[in-house]
Amino acid sequence: MREAMETEAARWALRHPLSADERVALEAWLAAHPHHAGALLRAQAALSSIDRAIAPEPAVLAEEAMPPAPRSRRWVLAGAGSIAAAAALTAVFGLRGTAADHVATGPGEIRRMPLADGSIAAIDAESELRIALAKDARRIDLARGQVWFQVAKDRQRPFIVDAGIAKVQAVGTAFSVKRTSAGVRIAVTEGRVAIWASDASGAVSILDAGEFAAFRSDGTAPVTGNAPSAIERSLAWREGEIALEGETLDEAVAAFNRYNQQQLVVRDPALGRERLVGLFQLNNPVGFARTLEATLDAEVTVTPNEISLSRNKNAAR
């Protein structure tokens, strides 16, 4: 009875966001037994402790919000209860080995989530993937977007990412996979991975930390290289930042606009070609624009939905 209750509480803790019907169902479940609210709180606390043990969430990351229990039902949790809730969460995560778990992020949403095998996935905005953790293999199907994985070592279960035209296999390493309509880019931040074209047109290649491979959708041979600094800059989104090292303003604006409803608009083509250097917060496009106002003598006009950038008419040409 208690185990079933803790497992159901863990299921509710993992559901987010809740639809209107799910919220009604949650309230009904809470009202069905006086111990349900406590079980939900224990599950929430266990999930939060797991998140804190992995890494602190940057402010820009989409909050893994859990449905709050009624205020009148809040109380301090006992250690034993938290352990029981953690066990229930483990049981729920374990279900991912039997059916693919679908995960999708929207515009501006960055999610960091633990996987049942102890690995971590940092999922970029506008990404979609399926996770299937079976007894003999761990498989990720990346339909679109970008994910950085920190893979838990398990030599009995290879960790394979299928990104359509390219595949990656790793054991105890960290790497990113980015899939767009133009192709697939793989970058290694720790350890070593094996990569190959899905159509078996080429041999398996090995990438070490600091190396990358870019597969093009036109089927040409992948381009590989060593660029550890560039790889780290490209993954600054994991910390809610954008690192610029010579990119154009147009390129920076395109990146900012993926994460914010308030869109940056460059009104002057010449201004858009200006190259920038710096580290900026992705969720602060106004602050970015104000920096350009000072450094590039740009004219900035801010409205609720738009931040317009143009050449200052009073600037010397």
Side-chain angles (χ1 to χ4, degrees):
M1 173 80 176
R2 179 181 175 83
E3 183 179 352
M5 178 180 66
E6 297 287 359
T7 299
E8 185 63 16
R11 292 179 187 277
W12 280 116
L14 288 167
R15 293 182 191 176
H16 52 87
L18 294 178
S19 66
D21 290 341
E22 286 175 327
R23 288 188 179 277
V24 171
L26 173 58
E27 289 300 324
W29 183 78
L30 289 170
H33 194 283
H35 292 168
H36 283 180
L40 179 60
L41 280 173
R42 287 192 293 274
Q44 291 171 337
L47 190 59
S48 295
S49 67
I50 291 171
D51 287 342
R52 287 195 299 273
I54 293 167
E57 292 290 308
V60 73
L61 298 193
E63 183 181 1
E64 298 285 83
M66 301 302 145
R71 290 181 184 272
S72 61
R73 293 175 177 173
R74 294 179 184 273
W75 59 78
V76 177
L77 302 176
S82 295
I83 293 172
L89 283 169
T90 300
V92 173
F93 277 126
L95 295 176
R96 294 180 179 176
T98 59
D101 182 35
H102 177 260
V103 180
T105 56
E109 179 186 7
I110 300 172
R111 186 181 302 179
R112 186 182 181 95
M113 61 181 290
L115 305 185
D117 66 333
S119 300
I120 302 168
I123 307 168
D124 199 3
E126 299 181 299
S127 298
E128 183 178 4
L129 63 153
R130 290 187 179 277
I131 304 167
L133 304 181
K135 293 182 179 180
D136 60 343
R138 298 168 289 174
R139 299 184 183 278
I140 312 292
D141 290 323
L142 180 61
R144 60 186 174 91
Q146 180 172 201
V147 186
W148 175 81
F149 298 98
Q150 187 169 25
V151 181
K153 291 183 179 180
D154 187 345
R155 295 189 180 280
Q156 303 305 314
R157 294 194 298 165
F159 192 100
I160 301 170
V161 179
D162 186 339
I165 63 173
K167 290 184 174 65
V168 192
Q169 179 172 330
V171 175
T173 187
F175 64 97
S176 67
V177 183
K178 183 177 183 179
R179 181 178 181 179
T180 67
S181 58
V184 172
R185 185 180 179 88
I186 300 158
V188 184
T189 57
E190 179 184 323
R192 173 179 291 184
V193 304
I195 62 169
W196 65 94
S198 298
D199 62 4
S201 60
V204 173
S205 298
I206 301 298
L207 294 181
D208 289 311
E211 296 181 337
F212 70 89
F215 292 79
R216 293 182 53 173
S217 56
D218 61 10
T220 56
V223 175
T224 60
N226 186 295
S229 297
I231 289 172
E232 287 300 323
R233 288 198 306 273
S234 71
L235 294 173
W237 57 267
R238 296 174 298 171
E239 308 300 330
E241 298 173 333
I242 176 172
L244 302 176
E245 190 69 36
E247 286 81 3
T248 66
L249 174 57
D250 282 338
E251 291 170 331
V253 163
F256 269 99
N257 287 347
R258 292 185 58 240
Y259 297 93
N260 298 281
Q261 290 186 344
Q262 194 177 27
Q263 298 281 281
L264 289 158
V265 179
V266 181
R267 301 295 183 187
D268 187 318
L271 183 63
R273 293 191 292 271
E274 292 280 359
R275 297 195 174 274
L276 307 174
V277 176
L279 186 66
F280 305 91
Q281 293 296 313
L282 276 175
N283 65 344
N284 187 14
V286 173
F288 173 69
R290 293 304 181 195
T291 299
L292 300 178
E293 191 174 36
T295 58
L296 296 182
D297 204 12
E299 185 173 312
V300 178
T301 303
V302 180
T303 66
N305 297 319
E306 184 179 287
I307 305 166
S308 177
L309 301 168
S310 58
R311 286 291 189 187
N312 190 330
K313 296 178 182 178
N314 297 322
R317 294 182 178 274

